[in-house]
Amino acid sequence: MTRNTLPMLSVHDLAVRFETPQGPVRAVDRVSFQVERGETLGIVGESGSGKSVTSLAIMGLVPNPPGIVDGGRAFFFEHNLLRLSDKELRAIRGHHIALIFQDPMTSLNPLLTIGRQLTEVLELHKGMSAAEARKHSAAGLGEVGIPDPEASLRSYPHEMSGGMRQRVMIAMALSCRPKLLLADEPTTALDVTIQAQILDLMKDLQEKHGMGIVLITHDLGVVAGMADRIQVMYAGRFVETGPTGELFARPGHPYTQGLLQAVPRLTGAPSSRLATIEGQPPDPMELRPGCAFFERCSYRNAQCERERPELQAFDGPARHACACFARVRVHDGLPPPAPELT
């Protein structure tokens, strides 16, 4: 198989655990997915589901200790990222694969100006002179909506608001025009207008350069307008995957249904309350042998308590699958039964 026919990113059975004084915590449990050229994959789930750890593991950034990549493969074209040396990874990170971190304040160096942090990437990976890198960096800040880019290059991170720092991180990630972008909650700290501007910029670069995007978010509104496919993550595993339109129209997992029902809508009675998913995500140190969603699920039964469901395709597009023993009932649009009291 040639490079032109290989997926841009192909992840197989990725597993990550953290060693803690209380025992090991399985943060990512054998997840698999791939991203083609020019495709956007959305990974959606609550905080603590393992989304960010997945992206850090792919980039070789899981802190060790306490984190350990416990198995699997992550291919960027023909290169297994989990087997590369630190030197080989540094040549790829920021150049061919870029990551937008979730927290810009802890990701930017407080001792360096914004300009130095932006130009360093271009000088290292693109071989630009200091003057060329500075000009390119100012243009990049302008693209992400930062006013007076030249003055902003002289600023330090603490002199900017959280939203401005987030835009700097996005400009830095896009500066080398990467082939693959891992975007971890890239628009969380931005207002709606700038959010739309950033997403449009990402789309434009994707169309021009065939960039693949992994969009990690809890916001279904973002993935609805950006993603070609969606993977829904819960307790370290994917519980549903499918084309965006198909998954939104016919969700197959109770957790996916709950997420969709919790999205605010402009229609409906003014006094109507948003739907909620009762309960809390499970403690990762005390996961039961059955389905991790068992305690919060209205469809639960004895089989769900004993066995952990695997992703399985059901009638419809072959790429639409979910991990639920009751998936046919949910898929058929039957109303959920009242939860059983235990």
Side-chain angles (χ1 to χ4, degrees):
M1 187 176 289
T2 66
R3 185 182 178 93
N4 289 333
T5 59
L6 287 171
M8 183 171 286
L9 178 68
S10 183
V11 177
H12 306 275
D13 293 328
L14 178 66
V16 182
R17 76 174 191 272
F18 289 89
E19 296 293 341
T20 72
Q22 292 75 35
V25 173
R26 177 73 68 184
V28 179
D29 189 6
R30 297 189 301 111
V31 301
S32 301
F33 61 94
Q34 66 182 40
V35 181
E36 305 289 347
R37 291 171 177 82
E39 182 182 36
T40 299
L41 172 69
I43 298 181
V44 179
E46 293 173 280
S47 296
S49 61
K51 310 184 303 297
S52 297
V53 176
T54 298
S55 64
L56 292 175
I58 291 169
M59 296 287 278
L61 295 175
V62 172
N64 183 6
I68 299 171
V69 178
D70 205 19
R73 297 166 292 161
F75 286 94
F76 176 63
F77 294 111
E78 69 274 19
H79 302 292
N80 186 355
L81 299 172
L82 304 184
R83 294 286 181 265
L84 297 182
S85 66
D86 289 342
K87 181 179 180 181
E88 290 169 325
L89 273 175
R90 282 196 298 270
I92 291 176
R93 281 196 302 251
H95 187 196
H96 301 295
I97 306 177
L99 173 61
I100 299 174
F101 291 94
Q102 187 170 352
D103 185 356
M105 190 59 189
T106 58
S107 303
L108 292 169
N109 190 327
L111 303 179
L112 298 178
T113 64
I114 296 300
R116 183 59 195 133
Q117 295 183 66
L118 285 168
T119 57
E120 183 180 31
V121 177
L122 295 166
E123 292 170 16
L124 176 64
H125 291 300
K126 293 295 187 180
M128 292 185 181
S129 67
E132 289 173 327
R134 193 169 185 84
K135 181 179 179 181
H136 191 93
S137 297
L141 292 180
E143 283 184 328
V144 297
I146 291 183
D148 199 354
E150 284 290 346
S152 297
L153 290 175
R154 298 189 293 272
S155 300
Y156 287 86
H158 71 272
E159 297 177 301
M160 291 184 159
S161 67
M164 295 285 276
R165 289 193 295 266
Q166 185 66 28
R167 284 184 250 181
V168 170
M169 287 298 304
I170 294 169
M172 187 181 299
L174 297 177
S175 61
C176 288
R177 302 301 188 247
K179 294 181 175 66
L180 176 66
L181 177 65
L182 307 179
D184 189 359
E185 302 280 7
T187 59
T188 298
L190 306 179
D191 61 64
V192 176
T193 303
I194 298 300
Q195 182 182 95
Q197 181 180 336
I198 295 300
L199 294 177
D200 286 342
L201 173 62
M202 291 167 61
K203 285 181 181 178
D204 289 342
L205 290 174
Q206 186 176 45
E207 292 173 1
K208 290 178 183 177
H209 306 287
M211 181 173 66
I213 298 175
V214 178
L215 183 59
I216 298 169
T217 181
H218 66 275
D219 188 343
L220 287 168
V222 171
V223 293
M226 276 287 292
D228 301 297
R229 290 185 298 114
I230 295 175
Q231 308 253 173
V232 180
M233 199 167 193
Y234 187 80
R237 306 190 86 199
F238 289 136
V239 297
E240 184 160 9
T241 175
T244 300
E246 171 71 12
L247 188 141
F248 271 71
R250 303 195 300 169
H253 195 281
Y255 179 60
T256 308
Q257 279 201 333
L259 292 176
L260 290 171
Q261 290 168 358
V263 175
R265 289 173 172 80
L266 296 177
T267 58
S271 60
S272 60
R273 295 171 64 89
L274 286 176
T276 60
I277 302 175
E278 298 298 329
Q280 299 292 328
D283 184 336
M285 297 189 65
E286 299 179 2
L287 288 177
R288 60 172 60 247
C291 177
F293 194 63
F294 177 82
E295 295 289 349
R296 309 173 75 184
C297 184
S298 300
Y299 296 89
R300 60 179 182 254
N301 56 42
Q303 183 184 17
C304 304
E305 189 171 15
R306 294 190 310 267
E307 304 173 33
R308 185 164 61 177
E310 300 291 338
L311 279 172
Q312 293 184 18
F314 48 76
D315 292 341
R319 299 174 80 185
H320 190 183
C322 75
C324 179
F325 296 123
R327 64 187 181 278
V328 175
R329 287 189 67 190
V330 180
H331 165 71
D332 287 343
L334 298 178
E340 298 176 6
L341 298 178
T342 56

